[in-house]
Amino acid sequence: MNDVATAARMPEVRSDTWKQAKVRPRRLGHATFETPDLDKAVDYYTQVVGLVVASRDKDRAFLASRIGQLIVQLERGDAPACAKLSFEVAPDSDFNELARHLSAEGVQSEQRSDSVPGIAKVLAFKDPKGTTIELFSQWSYLGKHHQVLGVGPLKLGHVAFLVHDPQKIADFYGRVLGFRVSDWIEDYFVFMRCGPDHHSVNFLQGKSQKLHHFAMELKDMAHMQASCELFANRKIPIIWGPLRHGPGHNVATYHRNQDDQVLELFFELDLMKDEDLGYFEPRPWHHDTPQRPKVWPRNGTTVWGPPPLPDFLRARD
Ligand SMILES: [Fe+2]
């Protein structure tokens, strides 16, 4: 393909439209998963992932990290799905005002109270692919310094979805919610940030619209090694990695959970510490100097590590 043809379909990576957004999530909070087997899911998230049950009833469970941040909400459902994501907005946010801004973009929202432990109030709406987004501004820790049995991640890092049209969803997250494009892989996979982390959401072109994978952050390589030993002990196969990615440059492993969903564990994700500087905090493993948002080629971007196994690749089916 010649340069003109390539350039013609290159997605935009350095747009300033996000600066116009009046609704601006700053941090990914927690993800809500529907599951047909709540007991099995609670077992996995406590014994393998190393989260703590903060509260539980017949149809729901809320799981916190060992430092007491809510990471995962489980709800009994017919089939495994990621139904909701929560994001923190600025502490002085006026939810009536945010609702008006969303409405001006054709997005209907509603305020809900006391639906989530530690979060008094959320403003809920659906994104264009049907995922419920819950914005919150005030929250409290659910206990602290818990002893955990499994891996014990630091936080929920990002959630990746298969979507029919990544450009359309990226436009919505940029224009309406102020997300910035951190990278594209060709025109089929976009990584977006709402804070310093290289990505909190990513959207991958697919035939269906559903969860592709979700990711939790670990502290360092020693923490990742301990997680690999635990997977070996529990006979949970690692289906990709350990590897260092190109886009985001995170070191990562992937495995499948009790509902056959792909969970990534990662550390050393690229950070955009200053939006005005426009480059990621320089690191020795970067491809470019400095490393700025860009469009990557489809193949050959991995810095080191093995290719994915078929059990990872079927996540795109
Ligand atoms: Fe990921």
Side-chain angles (χ1 to χ4, degrees), residues 90-294:
D92 58 353
S93 296
D94 177 338
F95 279 18
N96 292 325
E97 201 178 309
L98 297 187
R100 278 197 298 277
H101 290 309
L102 288 169
S103 178
E105 292 284 350
V107 179
Q108 299 314 309
S109 59
E110 66 171 32
Q111 293 185 42
R112 297 174 189 161
S113 298
D114 298 325
S115 58
V116 181
I119 299 176
K121 193 171 65 172
V122 302
L123 182 66
F125 59 93
K126 282 194 191 303
D127 74 5
K129 61 184 161 46
T131 307
T132 296
I133 305 296
E134 293 180 324
L135 303 179
F136 63 94
S137 64
Q138 306 290 339
W139 64 278
S140 53
Y141 284 86
L142 304 173
K144 57 182 178 181
H145 303 301
H146 298 284
Q147 293 293 316
V148 297
L149 296 172
V151 174
L154 301 178
K155 69 175 187 184
L156 178 66
H158 60 268
V159 183
F161 292 90
L162 290 174
V163 298
H164 294 143
D165 187 345
Q167 184 67 64
K168 195 171 143 198
I169 303 284
D171 288 348
F172 176 87
Y173 271 75
R175 190 186 71 253
V176 180
L177 300 176
F179 280 65
R180 287 77 79 189
V181 171
S182 283
D183 280 313
W184 277 89
I185 300 176
E186 292 189 342
D187 59 352
Y188 77 97
F189 195 178
V190 61
F191 301 72
M192 301 189 80
R193 68 184 180 281
C194 62
D197 285 0
H198 179 275
H199 53 286
S200 298
V201 289
N202 23 5
F203 305 114
L204 173 58
Q205 205 279 323
K207 291 186 228 49
S208 53
Q209 302 207 110
K210 61 179 184 182
L211 178 74
H212 180 265
H213 72 272
F214 61 111
M216 295 185 188
E217 187 176 35
L218 305 185
K219 185 168 168 288
D220 53 21
M221 192 67 197
H223 197 180
M224 179 164 283
Q225 182 182 352
S227 73
C228 292
E229 306 295 359
L230 182 131
F231 293 144
N233 186 257
R234 306 290 169 87
K235 302 201 170 10
I236 297 171
I238 294 171
I239 57 176
W240 193 14
L243 79 155
R244 186 185 290 283
H245 282 295
H249 291 96
N250 39 322
V251 175
T253 65
Y254 297 80
H255 68 280
R256 284 184 177 271
N257 72 6
Q258 86 298 337
D259 275 338
D260 204 36
Q261 295 160 323
V262 175
L263 174 53
E264 171 188 354
L265 302 176
F266 73 93
F267 65 92
E268 284 181 349
L269 183 68
D270 280 346
L271 299 174
M272 178 77 74
K273 290 189 173 175
D274 187 319
E275 290 290 340
D276 291 331
L277 293 180
Y279 55 79
F280 297 102
E281 181 75 355
R283 287 289 180 267
W285 42 82
H286 279 174
H287 291 63
D288 301 341
T289 49
Q291 188 74 53
R292 298 180 186 277
K294 68 170 185 176

Side-chain angles (χ1 to χ4, degrees), residues 30-100:
H30 76 288
T32 299
F33 297 101
E34 293 174 354
T35 177
D37 191 332
L38 190 60
D39 289 336
K40 205 167 150 190
V42 168
D43 278 353
Y44 165 78
Y45 283 102
T46 54
Q47 309 292 313
V48 177
V49 180
L51 303 181
V52 181
V53 177
S55 73
R56 173 160 189 190
D57 62 29
K58 184 168 64 63
D59 296 317
R60 294 193 309 178
F62 295 90
L63 295 129
S65 68
R66 57 186 169 170
I67 60 168
Q69 284 188 296
L70 181 63
I71 287 193
V72 166
Q73 178 176 341
L74 298 171
E75 292 186 352
R76 210 180 284 282
D78 294 335
C82 177
K84 293 190 274 190
L85 295 181
S86 75
F87 291 92
E88 185 170 359
V89 291
D92 58 353
S93 296
D94 177 338
F95 279 18
N96 292 325
E97 201 178 309
L98 297 187
R100 278 197 298 277

